[in-house]
Amino acid sequence: MITTYEEYIKLPKALPFEQMQAIHKQIVLEVGNDPDALELYDDFIKVATRYAAIRANWLLLSREEKLDQDSGRTSCHDSVITHLNMLARYLKQQGKTAAWRDELGYEEDGSYNRKAIGDFACYLVFVNSINAR
């Protein structure tokens, strides 16, 4: 099956590239050169990279393989959200707004927010991947 960005963007709570770019820019500006924030960001990117690898293979798996791997994917996704929350919390403690965190939404406000956070994590991995040439 071949999928396209156009299919993705029609999904509930899908994040357009421009919105993900704007959120990423906000994070970059707020993190700045703060060594603790940079460490939290790096930790977030590491878990996001693991999650993106799982997600990238998801459409290639059989139904049985998906059932077998679903709890691991969920656990990794939970870790992505935890690390993102840790970064936002730290930045707020440093006097930053971290308004981007509210823009991504919270899973307790709806399951599509959880998906959007996963989408954003995959976007950041995409950015890192194309910059690693």
Side-chain angles (χ1 to χ4, degrees), residues 20-34 37-38 41 45 87 91 96 100 120 123-124 127-128:
M20 289 190 273
Q21 286 175 309
I23 292 170
H24 188 202
K25 185 175 182 177
Q26 291 170 30
I27 293 171
V28 169
L29 290 173
E30 289 189 344
V31 167
N33 292 320
D34 179 324
L38 286 166
Y41 182 80
I45 292 298
L87 177 61
L91 290 171
K96 311 293 184 187
W100 51 266
F120 181 65
Y123 167 80
L124 293 178
V127 170
N128 273 9

Side-chain angles (χ1 to χ4, degrees), residues 46-73:
K46 286 175 186 171
V47 72
T49 300
R50 285 195 304 273
Y51 176 70
I54 294 167
R55 209 170 178 196
N57 284 308
W58 200 251
L59 293 178
L60 305 174
L61 300 177
S62 69
R63 188 178 194 292
E64 294 77 22
E65 290 170 319
K66 286 179 183 175
L67 288 171
D68 186 49
Q69 296 182 27
D70 196 44
S71 65
R73 180 177 87 145

Side-chain angles (χ1 to χ4, degrees), residues 52-111:
I54 294 167
R55 209 170 178 196
N57 284 308
W58 200 251
L59 293 178
L60 305 174
L61 300 177
S62 69
R63 188 178 194 292
E64 294 77 22
E65 290 170 319
K66 286 179 183 175
L67 288 171
D68 186 49
Q69 296 182 27
D70 196 44
S71 65
R73 180 177 87 145
T74 298
S75 177
C76 192
H77 196 169
D78 291 344
S79 187
V80 164
I81 294 168
T82 297
H83 281 80
L84 186 68
N85 289 341
M86 289 168 46
L87 177 61
R89 188 171 34 254
Y90 174 80
L91 290 171
K92 286 179 182 180
Q93 289 171 348
Q94 302 309 305
K96 311 293 184 187
T97 64
W100 51 266
R101 183 61 194 91
D102 293 336
E103 187 176 345
L104 287 170
Y106 298 89
E107 66 180 316
E108 52 270 10
D109 296 331
S111 64

